[in-house]
Amino acid sequence: MWRGAVGRLLRGCAAGSPRAASGSAVAQLRRRLESELEDIRGAGTWKSERIISSRQGPHLRLEGGGAGILNFCANNYLGLSSHPEVIRASVEALEKFGAGLSSVRFICGTQSIHKDLEEKIARFHQREDAILYASCFDANAGIFEALLTPEDAVLSDELNHASIIDGIRLCKANKYRYKHMDMQDLEAKLQDAQKHRLRLVATDGAFSMDGDIAPLREICQLAQKYDALVFIDECHATGFLGPNGRGTDELLGVMDKVTIVNSTLGKALGGAAGGYTTGPKPLIDLLRQRSRPYLFSNSLPPAVVGCASKALDLLMESNAIAQSMAAKTQRFRSKMTAAGFTISGKDHPICPVMLGDARLAAVMAEDMLNRGIYVIGFSYPVVPKGKARIRVQISAVHSDEDIDRCVDAFTEVGRKHGALP
């Protein structure tokens, strides 16, 4: 919205509208914005948005780019965003419950499908209750401010997702940042935080940029030792990590030691939108009273609720989909490593191909697309300077042939641009 407003303002001033009285300020704004944009282009970190003219899946049609593009950049871990049963459930919910409630839940009430989905989420994670948000970004923005006061402390991994960082900034708790997955540093911070009333350790379960998994066993042991609570963001774990896809805490056997789980419906669980918090019922009740993103945002559209609910049904009926990805992830990682690439993380379908240089990552990603492989280069400020990479993401619906074709293209492009000998 703000971009459109700025654009109209700039066009209006250029056309001699009454707003031209402030034209010098607008001209100054235009020069500053254009200079910043040019700096982004010059640094090779410009982020283009390609237009997709087909549904999400392992094969895409890009506008102007033909059909049959192999997609290796989506968070569609289980391939459920185009699963026929998920789509059918979404259509049925739309037809029965309409497009939406046109307001927030405490004003217009809530629909039965929202309550059903919250109950289903709590049951899936084996927690007492759950609350839905428009996104997990909103869930992370809404929990810390509602839960923590100036008497409390929050201890956050330095590489946590931006939404966790932003959510922590909104609260008035005492803030500690510990080195990435460094348990000695976390323990030192916990010792220092003993003077505060409540201590909350916040971490991603699986880190989205590096594909590494938090040492939750050790975190929970330290939390127990220093009487702290544990919060995890499971956006890149829910649905496929652990024997039944319940996430990092199930994978590492600490489901009973993690107090709060935030996650998304917009990745493995249907791929549409939405997020949630699940945990103790008194916490969920408090969030319904005080969490600003919940109180001031419309309820999730019924179509989104329908597809997420069906995705959870499929997961709880069988773990076959969740387990099908492990072999495909291992195939890609082992073949890329054998080719000479450095792949960050371990045993996670997020497979960052580490390149270091932002320009190299951007150029290689573009050259991969020319070979029919859709991947994206990541550089500062999404990742630290000097840590540019192409993040490849494996899906359960990729075939072995898809994976081999991707590796072959990487090898060819890597040699062309000097990333491989």
Side-chain angles (χ1 to χ4, degrees), residues 206-277:
F207 291 84
S208 62
M209 290 298 109
D210 293 290
D212 46 7
I213 296 171
L216 275 185
R217 290 195 190 99
E218 292 81 358
I219 289 173
C220 290
Q221 288 169 0
L222 287 174
Q224 185 172 12
K225 180 178 179 180
Y226 293 99
D227 195 21
L229 304 173
V230 178
F231 161 99
I232 56 175
D233 179 311
E234 289 286 81
C235 287
H236 293 276
T238 299
F240 57 93
L241 287 188
N244 300 289
R246 288 186 168 89
T248 314
D249 56 348
E250 184 189 44
L251 176 71
L252 298 176
V254 291
M255 290 186 71
D256 60 333
K257 294 179 173 60
V258 172
T259 308
I260 306 166
V261 175
N262 275 15
S263 195
T264 183
L265 306 173
K267 292 181 172 58
L269 301 184
Y276 58 85
T277 296

Side-chain angles (χ1 to χ4, degrees), residues 61-62 66 81 100 141 147 149 195 199 235 243 251 292 301 322 332 351 355 359 364 369 401-402 411:
R61 175 180 287 105
L62 296 181
S81 63
L147 177 63
T149 75
K195 55 183 175 282
R199 292 155 297 283
C235 287
L251 176 71
R292 291 164 68 86
F332 179 81
C351 303
L355 299 169
R359 287 181 177 276
M364 281 185 59
L369 184 59
E401 291 75 18
D402 293 339
T411 303

